[in-house]
Structure formats: C-alpha cells, structure tokens
Amino acid sequence: MEILIGIAKMNKYAMADCGDSVEVAERPRGGISAILADGQGSGKAAKITSGLVVAKAAALIAEGARDGAVARAVHDYLFTIKDGKVSSTLTIISVDLDTETLVFSRNSNCPVIIKGQYGIDIYDDAVNPIGVHRHMKPLMHQIPLEVGTIVVSYSDGIQAAGRKQGQTMEQDSILKYISDNPPEDVDYIATGILEHALELDKYRAGDDMTVVAVGVSDRDPDHKIQRISVSFPY
Amino acid sequence: MEILIGIAKMNKYAMADCGDSVEVAERPRGGISAILADGQGSGKAAKITSGLVVAKAAALIAEGARDGAVARAVHDYLFTIKDGKVSSTLTIISVDLDTETLVFSRNSNCPVIIKGQYGIDIYDDAVNPIGVHRHMKPLMHQIPLEVGTIVVSYSDGIQAAGRKQGQTMEQDSILKYISDNPPEDVDYIATGILEHALELDKYRAGDDMTVVAVGVSDRDPDHKIQRISVSFPY
C-alpha cells in the first residue's frame, strides 16, 4: 500500500513571503504526518509564526509525542513566545501505521474533508486557533485507516477566495475535486483546488493559499521506493 | 527562478524500518534546505536516531540558526542524549536566498557533488560523523547561487551498493546521471541513481539507500505555486 501526499501553496498577491507553512514529518513508530499552519496576518511576520509552529510540531512528532499532545504543546509554545498576542491555525493530518488509524487535529476555521468508503464527511466544528487563549484544546478525530480514503484540508485563502471580487468559493466545487478523483491523484486534487481558488481571485490571490491532500492507495509499487519532490519557485 | 528537490529513499532488504531520514525545511529568511542523516546501524534504532537528527536540524533552521551552528548543535544533542555512543551522518544542503548562496555542510563519508557552470566538483574530504566525538566540526562550503547548478548527495547504501555481490558502484556512473540531465530533472536523477544502486545489489538493497538532488532552474512557472509531492509505500 502507499500513502500519497500532494501539497500546493502560494503567496498572497504581491507579497514576497507566504504566511502559511506546511511540513511533512515521518512518524517514528510508522506512518507520516502533514502539518499545516496559517500564521496571523500576512507577509514575513506570519511566515515566521507559521514556520515556528510547523517546525515545533514536526520535531515533537519525530520525538514520538501523540498528536493531541503536539497540538497542545505547540499552542503553549506560541502562547509563551508571543505572550498570547499572535494566533495561528494548526491542522495535523496523520496516517498512523502503528495504530492503523487516520488521526487528525484541527485548530482552524477551515474544515478537514474525508472521502471514505461511504461518502464524504466534513469536519468543520468551530474551534479556536492556537496561541491566543490560555486554555486551548484541539478538535481530535481518529478513524480506521482504509484504502481509498482521501483527506483534504486548506487555509483561509482558499475558503475566502473570490471575496474581494464579489464571488464565493462554493464548497461543492472543492468536494467535486475530491469525489471525482482517486487517492493516487492527490497532487492533481491539491493543485486543482488551489487553481480554482486563484481563478475566483482573478489570478491575484487575496490571501496566502495552501491545500494539503492525503491519499491512501492500494497501489503496491516495485521495491517500495519512497519519493519526495519539491518545487519552490522564487 | 525555481528550486527543485528530488529525493528517493528505500529500506535495506527485508527491513521494516529505514535508518536513513531526510527532511526539507523552509528557511525563515528565504530559501530551502534539504537535510539527510544516516543513523548508525539499521532498522528501528537507526531510524529513531536519524529521525531525531533531521527533526532537530529542521527545527533549528526554522528558528533562523545558521547551518554551521545547526550541525554543531545537532551533534551536541546526539552526543548528549546517546552519551557519545551512537553516531549519525548529517548532510545539510541549503539554497539560501537571503545571501544568494548555496551552503552545504558535511559530516558524512559520502560526498556532496556539485555540477556548476564549469563542470563537476566533488566534495569528499574525510570528516567524522556526528554524535561520537567530543569535538566535532562540520565541513562547510558556501558558493554563489547560480542557475543551472545541481547538487547531489546520498547515503552509504548507495556508495557501497554491489559490495555483497562482488560488484562496485563506480562514481562515474553517478556522475553521468548528474552531467547528462538538467536541474529540472532532479526527480529523475535521484531515482536513477537509486535504481542503479539497487541493480548492483541485485534488487536486495544491502543497506538503507537515500539520494537527494537539488536543482536551481531558470524556469519561471506561472503564479509561482509551490508544490510538494510525497509517495510513501508501506
């Protein structure tokens, strides 16, 4: 079997820095996690905030901390270093091969969308971002790991796309990318959703935009070669 | 312009865990770093060692630490938590857009190979791994960042491929993949070198194998969408 992750990310129009950060971390007891953070504001300050958030989360995951503890510790860290004055979203999507579950943790105004065997579930209960409230809990979910599953989440710039142009990002158009494609096509799903959002913004992104898509495939590649491919335009 | 990173990685034959770890970290002042570690031994213990090494390095890079300080601090960390008893290689390849240089740091028995404007340079001076000697220095190099450059490094399993089969990995065959391909094809370069090593090992890898290839391209993609694609077979 094969876990596939596709990530597409771009800066707010005319900004040199992206306030969203994303990182992929291997889990020491097996599996892999994708971490997405959207730092408050935009530009360099937001990039530094979200960069610290995802790096701290990745380091804790590499040390074996469970995801709920990771989200809490990263909140406490941000709350401490910024004195409760700077918020960030934090979404962690983990394929945990040790427990054979899919675990996801949300501190974001954007949903986690799951396509499973019986259709699509949208997890979008209201929850606070990290960093600004003394007491913070992530919304955690754990479901059995099943072949064919696709998990998608994204940042605010996707959800709010088109707003400055008097248009609205319909969630149905996001769901269509997920329902129409197999888990092997997570790169296409992530890029497709981002490009659709960009189109709504008339190719001048109103905010930083990031899409993360995770697929669980029954493909069994020869020799089990793990691959990572990064394209970083500047 | 565009920085491209291609990584290919596989486990030693019949091992459930890979003792090599690799991570890609965004630099807070601009640019991106690829971090490769090969933990002593193989299997789960080596995976945990190298996982901690790359995660610590990535977290320090995200906090803005310079690469030479990162290598030293990660050595001190491993030396402390394992009481000087466990070694790891550590190679950091950074495209630093703040200083417009390519920075690389070696604590590895494997070379860093650079294809630049005037040909190929091989950086393979002897240097100790991290974790086992009280005093340790990384071998650091910093060169101007030039379009067209390709940087390749790999782990021991590539260099020693074929040994158990009475064959030898000729460095020339690695260099051929680098000299014959443009920076846009780093995925192909990484996979090609790994598959060649695997062939020498008669498709039973004698050790964990990882190849990291970084390219600097003058391609200017529309809308500057950053992409990450991961394939993680299990």
Side-chain angles (χ1 to χ4, degrees):
Chain A
M1 298 211 286
E2 187 180 13
I3 304 159
L4 296 126
I5 303 178
I7 295 166
K9 175 167 173 278
M10 75 175 297
N11 301 4
K12 180 174 174 176
Y13 179 70
M15 297 297 278
D17 294 297
C18 184
D20 296 350
S21 290
V22 66
E23 199 157 312
V24 174
E26 207 174 321
R27 301 178 69 80
R29 299 186 60 83
I32 194 161
S33 297
I35 306 153
L36 169 62
D38 177 354
Q40 186 177 339
S42 59
K44 181 156 267 183
K47 176 197 170 98
I48 291 169
T49 299
S50 63
L52 289 172
V53 164
V54 298
K56 177 64 83 177
L60 288 167
I61 287 170
E63 286 171 12
R66 65 198 72 183
D67 290 15
V70 170
R72 286 166 171 84
V74 174
H75 160 76
D76 294 342
Y77 168 70
L78 186 61
F79 187 81
T80 302
I81 65 165
K82 301 284 190 183
D83 197 23
K85 294 188 176 70
V86 178
S87 72
S88 174
T89 72
L90 174 62
T91 302
I92 306 172
I93 300 167
S94 298
V95 179
D96 184 343
L97 297 178
D98 189 35
T99 57
E100 294 189 356
T101 58
L102 189 68
V103 181
F104 50 99
S105 161
R106 279 181 62 239
N107 284 100
S108 172
N109 54 335
C110 294
V112 170
I113 302 170
I114 312 268
K115 177 169 107 175
Q117 226 174 325
Y118 305 108
I120 290 185
D121 290 311
I122 300 169
Y123 295 82
D124 61 356
D125 288 342
V127 61
N128 286 319
I130 65 169
V132 282
H133 303 92
R134 182 166 299 278
H135 299 290
M136 184 295 294
K137 269 189 180 177
L139 285 182
M140 302 286 308
H141 292 89
Q142 185 168 25
I143 61 176
L145 185 64
E146 282 173 356
V147 162
T149 301
I150 298 175
V151 188
V152 171
S153 195
Y154 42 83
S155 65
D156 213 29
I158 298 291
Q159 188 145 279
R163 204 168 286 174
K164 290 175 185 172
Q165 311 290 341
Q167 300 205 54
T168 311
M169 168 60 99
E170 304 289 345
Q171 202 170 50
D172 280 355
S173 57
I174 293 176
L175 298 183
K176 197 166 153 49
Y177 280 99
I178 301 169
S179 61
D180 287 0
N181 291 290
E184 292 78 17
D185 290 350
V186 286
D187 288 336
Y188 174 78
I189 294 170
T191 304
I193 294 171
L194 185 136
E195 286 181 346
H196 176 63
L198 192 58
E199 202 185 315
L200 290 176
D201 271 341
K202 299 226 192 306
Y203 297 97
R204 295 184 169 197
D207 195 357
D208 303 313
M209 295 180 168
T210 307
V211 184
V212 178
V214 179
V216 184
S217 164
D218 59 359
R219 206 160 62 177
D220 198 8
D222 287 351
H223 314 309
K224 297 198 186 301
I225 300 174
Q226 186 182 333
R227 291 166 213 270
I228 304 172
S229 177
V230 178
S231 157
F232 187 89
Y234 64 98
Chain B
M1 299 212 286
E2 187 180 13
I3 304 159
L4 295 126
I5 303 178
I7 295 166
K9 175 167 172 276
M10 74 175 296
N11 300 4
K12 180 174 174 174
Y13 179 69
M15 298 295 279
D17 293 297
C18 184
D20 295 349
S21 290
V22 67
E23 199 157 312
V24 173
E26 207 174 321
R27 302 178 69 80
R29 299 187 61 81
I32 195 162
S33 297
I35 306 153
L36 168 63
D38 177 354
Q40 186 177 338
S42 60
K44 181 156 267 183
K47 176 196 170 100
I48 291 169
T49 299
S50 63
L52 289 172
V53 164
V54 298
K56 177 64 85 177
L60 288 167
I61 288 170
E63 285 171 13
R66 64 198 73 182
D67 290 15
V70 170
R72 287 166 171 84
V74 174
H75 160 76
D76 293 342
Y77 168 71
L78 185 62
F79 187 80
T80 301
I81 65 165
K82 301 285 190 183
D83 197 23
K85 295 188 174 72
V86 178
S87 71
S88 173
T89 72
L90 174 61
T91 303
I92 307 171
I93 300 167
S94 298
V95 178
D96 184 344
L97 297 178
D98 189 35
T99 57
E100 294 189 355
T101 58
L102 188 70
V103 181
F104 51 99
S105 161
R106 280 181 61 239
N107 284 101
S108 172
N109 54 336
C110 294
V112 170
I113 302 169
I114 313 266
K115 177 169 106 173
Q117 226 175 325
Y118 305 107
I120 289 185
D121 289 311
I122 299 169
Y123 294 81
D124 61 355
D125 288 342
V127 61
N128 286 319
I130 65 168
V132 283
H133 303 93
R134 183 167 298 277
H135 298 292
M136 184 293 295
K137 270 189 181 177
L139 286 181
M140 302 286 307
H141 292 89
Q142 185 168 25
I143 61 176
L145 184 64
E146 282 172 357
V147 162
T149 301
I150 298 174
V151 187
V152 171
S153 195
Y154 41 82
S155 66
D156 212 29
I158 298 290
Q159 188 146 278
R163 203 168 285 175
K164 290 175 185 172
Q165 311 290 340
Q167 299 205 55
T168 311
M169 168 60 98
E170 304 289 345
Q171 203 171 49
D172 280 354
S173 57
I174 294 176
L175 297 184
K176 197 167 152 48
Y177 279 99
I178 302 169
S179 60
D180 286 1
N181 292 290
E184 292 77 19
D185 289 352
V186 287
D187 288 336
Y188 174 77
I189 293 170
T191 304
I193 294 171
L194 186 136
E195 287 181 347
H196 176 64
L198 192 58
E199 201 186 315
L200 290 175
D201 271 341
K202 301 224 190 306
Y203 297 96
R204 294 183 169 198
D207 195 356
D208 303 313
M209 294 180 170
T210 307
V211 184
V212 177
V214 179
V216 184
S217 164
D218 58 0
R219 207 160 63 177
D220 197 9
D222 286 351
H223 315 306
K224 297 197 185 302
I225 300 174
Q226 186 181 333
R227 291 166 212 270
I228 304 172
S229 177
V230 178
S231 158
F232 186 89
Y234 64 97

